[in-house]
Amino acid sequence: MNTKIDLKFSKFLKAEWLSDVRNYEVNDATIVVNISNTDAIIAGPAPCKVIHPRKSTILEGLNVISAKSLVLIKVPEETNIGGMVLEDGWFQQTALDPTFPWDVPLYKSPQFDVGSVELDPYIATGSRKRPNTGDANKTYNIKVNVWFSPAKTNCGIHNHHTDPELLEVHTQVYGVGRMQKFRENDYKSIYEDVKMSPGFTHNPFAGVDDNGDFFYGWHQYYSDTDCIWMAIEHHPA
């Protein structure tokens, strides 16, 4: 119960993976991300609150009554926060993907495994197209890392992550950014602009094909200010 593992993204962040949660007190203002597929139940003034799967909020001075799996993350000190990209285990995206533009300042932290989850990909993505028969649930292994980009960075339009494709959502940790959708690989073709402020997790951008696998249209992250955001990746088990 209340099993806790530190997620050492950076010395500038305090992050923990908390599982089998029962009556856990969140004292200081903390971003609480529900990475399970069931609601996290939160105590406090009526009515009772929940954090839905793959969603997040900022809590302070409240108990988490119950939850299967949470990530808790906060920024205790902002001074020189951009220095996190110089820490061990951090890489500019170009070092990870040689095809990525060298002049885009997008940096990735170490990545951590945070358990697994069973979910229905059609329900998780809000897909309108769903088989009428059978159990569509699949098991996914969850990995988390954080990203950093300075203000006014286009972090790269893309429509592919891995093979097989993963389900990914992002939680804003610091600064203000956006998740954006495009009709094609062209910044002028934008058609949706989702504002991201600390404590917010966007809805999944993925769709589901006839085989029950995820796919993506053109999308990117954009940083209005210096930004830190956490990627929550669901990899097919």
Side-chain angles (χ1 to χ4, degrees):
M1 186 169 65
N2 292 335
T3 302
K4 187 186 298 184
I5 295 177
D6 289 336
L7 302 174
K8 297 180 180 180
F9 299 127
S10 166
K11 67 180 182 181
F12 292 95
L13 301 174
K14 180 174 176 55
E16 301 167 328
W17 172 33
L18 195 62
S19 57
D20 190 20
V21 185
R22 296 292 183 276
N23 297 315
Y24 185 85
E25 180 76 20
V26 180
N27 295 308
D28 303 326
T30 302
I31 297 170
V32 180
V33 189
N34 182 2
I35 62 170
S36 76
N37 198 43
T38 58
D39 288 342
I41 311 301
I42 310 301
C48 184
K49 305 296 191 296
V50 302
I51 305 175
H52 294 304
R54 297 167 296 282
K55 289 296 181 181
S56 58
T57 191
I58 299 174
L59 296 180
E60 180 176 4
L62 288 178
N63 275 334
V64 179
I65 298 173
S66 65
K68 283 190 176 180
S69 190
L70 305 173
V71 170
L72 278 57
I73 187 167
K74 57 186 175 181
V75 182
E77 175 58 55
E78 298 181 26
T79 305
N80 296 327
I81 196 166
M84 66 173 52
V85 304
L86 304 176
E87 295 180 69
D88 289 343
W90 279 78
F91 295 94
Q92 188 176 0
Q93 179 64 7
T94 301
L96 301 171
D97 176 7
T99 66
F100 191 80
W102 66 268
D103 56 347
V104 175
L106 173 62
Y107 299 89
K108 183 179 182 180
S109 79
Q111 189 174 65
F112 298 95
D113 296 317
V114 286
S116 61
V117 65
E118 186 176 277
L119 57 82
D120 181 328
Y122 297 91
I123 294 175
T125 59
S127 177
R128 295 175 60 188
K129 184 178 182 180
R130 187 182 188 281
N132 294 322
T133 58
D135 182 2
N137 282 359
K138 297 184 179 182
T139 301
Y140 299 88
N141 297 320
I142 306 177
K143 300 177 183 288
V144 292
N145 65 272
V146 297
W147 296 87
F148 177 92
S149 271
K152 311 301 181 186
T153 300
N154 278 319
C155 294
I157 299 176
H158 57 289
N159 66 353
H160 185 68
H161 299 96
T162 58
D163 189 14
E165 196 60 81
L166 56 84
L167 173 66
E168 181 180 54
V169 294
H170 303 85
T171 300
Q172 190 74 13
V173 175
Y174 177 81
V176 177
R178 313 176 194 208
M179 285 295 295
Q180 300 177 321
K181 296 180 184 178
F182 303 86
R183 291 182 173 86
E184 54 191 81
N185 189 7
D186 183 343
Y187 294 111
K188 294 181 180 179
S189 69
I190 186 169
Y191 69 89
E192 187 171 352
D193 198 25
V194 181
K195 292 290 185 73
M196 303 276 289
S197 59
F200 177 77
T201 301
H202 65 85
N203 292 327
F205 278 21
V208 184
D209 65 21
D210 292 338
N211 297 318
D213 298 325
F214 300 115
F215 71 93
Y216 286 84
W218 297 105
H219 66 284
Q220 76 152 358
Y221 185 92
Y222 175 83
S223 60
D224 290 277
T225 68
D226 292 355
C227 280
I228 302 167
W229 64 101
M230 181 173 69
I232 306 157
E233 299 180 352
H234 300 72
H235 294 259

